[in-house]
Amino acid sequence: MSQQAAPFRRLAIIGIGLIGSSIARAARQWGQAAEIVCADLSESHRQQAVALGVVDAAYADAAEAVRGADLVILCVPLGAYGAVAQAMAPGLGAGTLVSDVGSSKQSVLRDVAPHLPPGVAFIPGHPVAGTEHSGPAAGFATLFQGRWCILTPPEGSDPAQLERLHGFWSAFGSKVEVMDARHHDLVLAITSHVPHLIAYNIVGTADDLQTVTQSEVIKYSAGGFRDFTRIAASDPTMWRDVFLNNKEAVLDMLQRFTEDLTALQRAIRWDDGETLFKLFSRTRAIRRAIIDAGQETAAPDFGRTGDGKQ
């Protein structure tokens, strides 16, 4: 592919896990970058990415990977953003567009922006897609098709760079939305983060009940518990960082959830079948709306961020 044919000359992906390798595959399949490179601390991941043809070159040094790149995408755990931004900064040139895939946007702006040199455009992003699998081999080019990608440009962002990033994700078949970082964090707290926390907690509670965990829980997991375990299989490093970096929104949503749960407890205690029926009917309608919106899939969509270990 000639450099003139691709919107971006050199795409550098920092962290070649599930999401990073899927971006690389999609960018290659839809001709979005003439050259695709990555940086990852894992030698095994670097070797796999090259052997699979996911990238043209892989580096241990982030600054070396981003040198000459006009698009850089961070795909590492949220807790590593600050250190990675600082490490890659010496290799960034004026006019480079830097983005990411993290599911917490206010913390990304806080941790990355101060380390970027003048002339570098920074527009955070979040593709709301993923699976419970990990590693460079787990990625696939169609992961983002029909899924939302949310962009959260800070005030004063270059409209031309935002348009370039919008086009990049649209080329993958993503539906792109632009919103404020704070609003993003509130939305994702209730649609992704709190559901994950509930899944982790209920699976942990079942595990504490040792008398049933060893037999009945596994045996009868075709019920709702199976879906909880699938969500709870998500990468622990990534989700630890999500909750620590979006704590205000998550705690706000948890408080609301707790209040609603208390109301449900009261309805059950007092045999208030009408309240239960109304709630179940309302939530059933929401499920149907999700299906009608084309957001139902055979594989789970976790709103994942991906990371260098995936």
Side-chain angles (χ1 to χ4, degrees):
M1 178 190 304
S2 67
Q3 292 188 1
Q4 288 73 26
F8 292 96
R9 179 183 64 255
R10 179 178 167 106
L11 166 63
I13 298 170
I14 313 302
I16 194 68
L18 167 69
I19 300 298
S21 65
S22 293
I23 292 173
R25 287 178 168 91
R28 193 178 300 282
Q29 181 165 324
W30 281 284
Q32 291 300 294
E35 181 185 16
I36 303 173
V37 302
C38 75
D40 200 293
L41 294 178
S42 168
E43 182 179 358
S44 172
H45 281 186
R46 295 196 303 271
Q47 291 176 349
Q48 285 183 57
V50 174
L52 291 168
V54 174
V55 297
D56 300 306
Y59 304 87
D61 182 3
E64 188 175 359
V66 304
R67 192 164 284 113
D70 48 352
L71 176 59
V72 176
I73 302 182
L74 301 181
C75 302
V76 298
L78 286 167
Y81 269 46
V84 169
Q86 188 173 17
M88 73 180 187
L92 294 172
T96 300
L97 171 58
V98 175
S99 189
D100 79 302
V101 297
S103 66
S104 170
K105 304 305 349 158
Q106 292 180 100
S107 67
V108 169
L109 287 168
R110 177 197 69 206
D111 294 343
V112 176
H115 299 294
L116 302 182
V120 172
F122 180 42
I123 302 178
H126 177 205
V128 188
T131 76
E132 73 271 35
H133 302 297
S134 62
F140 51 99
T142 57
L143 177 63
F144 311 108
Q145 285 189 359
R147 298 290 169 227
W148 287 101
C149 180
I150 303 171
L151 305 181
T152 59
E155 188 175 351
S157 294
D158 183 348
Q161 292 283 36
L162 176 59
E163 185 177 352
R164 294 181 78 197
L165 191 60
H166 191 295
F168 179 80
W169 285 105
S170 295
F172 301 164
S174 294
K175 296 180 286 186
V176 182
E177 185 77 46
V178 177
M179 67 177 65
D180 172 78
R182 183 177 182 277
H183 184 68
H184 166 279
D185 289 355
L186 286 170
V187 170
L188 268 295
I190 193 59
T191 60
S192 176
H193 303 168
V194 169
H196 272 81
L197 197 63
I198 292 170
Y200 280 120
N201 190 63
I202 199 168
V203 173
T205 299
D207 187 55
D208 289 338
L209 300 174
Q210 293 296 331
T211 55
V212 297
T213 299
Q214 300 304 319
S215 55
E216 285 87 354
V217 168
I218 303 300
K219 181 177 180 179
Y220 301 114
S221 63
F225 186 75
R226 175 190 58 195
D227 294 325
F228 279 116
T229 60
R230 184 167 57 182
I231 295 174
S234 302
D235 181 76
T237 299
M238 180 188 71
W239 282 99
R240 176 201 65 194
D241 288 356
V242 166
F243 293 120
L244 294 179
N245 283 278
N246 196 27
K247 64 169 63 179
E248 291 185 9
V250 167
L251 290 173
D252 184 14
M253 293 302 109
L254 275 176
Q255 180 59 40
R256 299 186 188 200
F257 174 80
T258 300
E259 292 168 0
D260 290 342
L261 185 60
T262 298
L264 268 180
Q265 289 176 303
R266 187 179 299 112
I268 294 171
R269 179 177 294 112
W270 293 103
D271 297 321
D272 186 355
E274 182 179 357
T275 293
L276 294 175
F277 184 81
K278 285 182 179 179
L279 173 64
F280 300 159
S281 297
R282 179 160 58 94
T283 56
R284 187 182 188 188
I286 293 172
R287 170 62 179 173
R288 288 173 174 170
I290 290 174
I291 294 173
D292 291 342
Q295 293 302 297
E296 168 65 357
T297 177
D301 185 322
F302 296 118
R304 294 170 58 91
T305 62
D307 62 46
K309 293 185 178 181
Q310 297 182 337

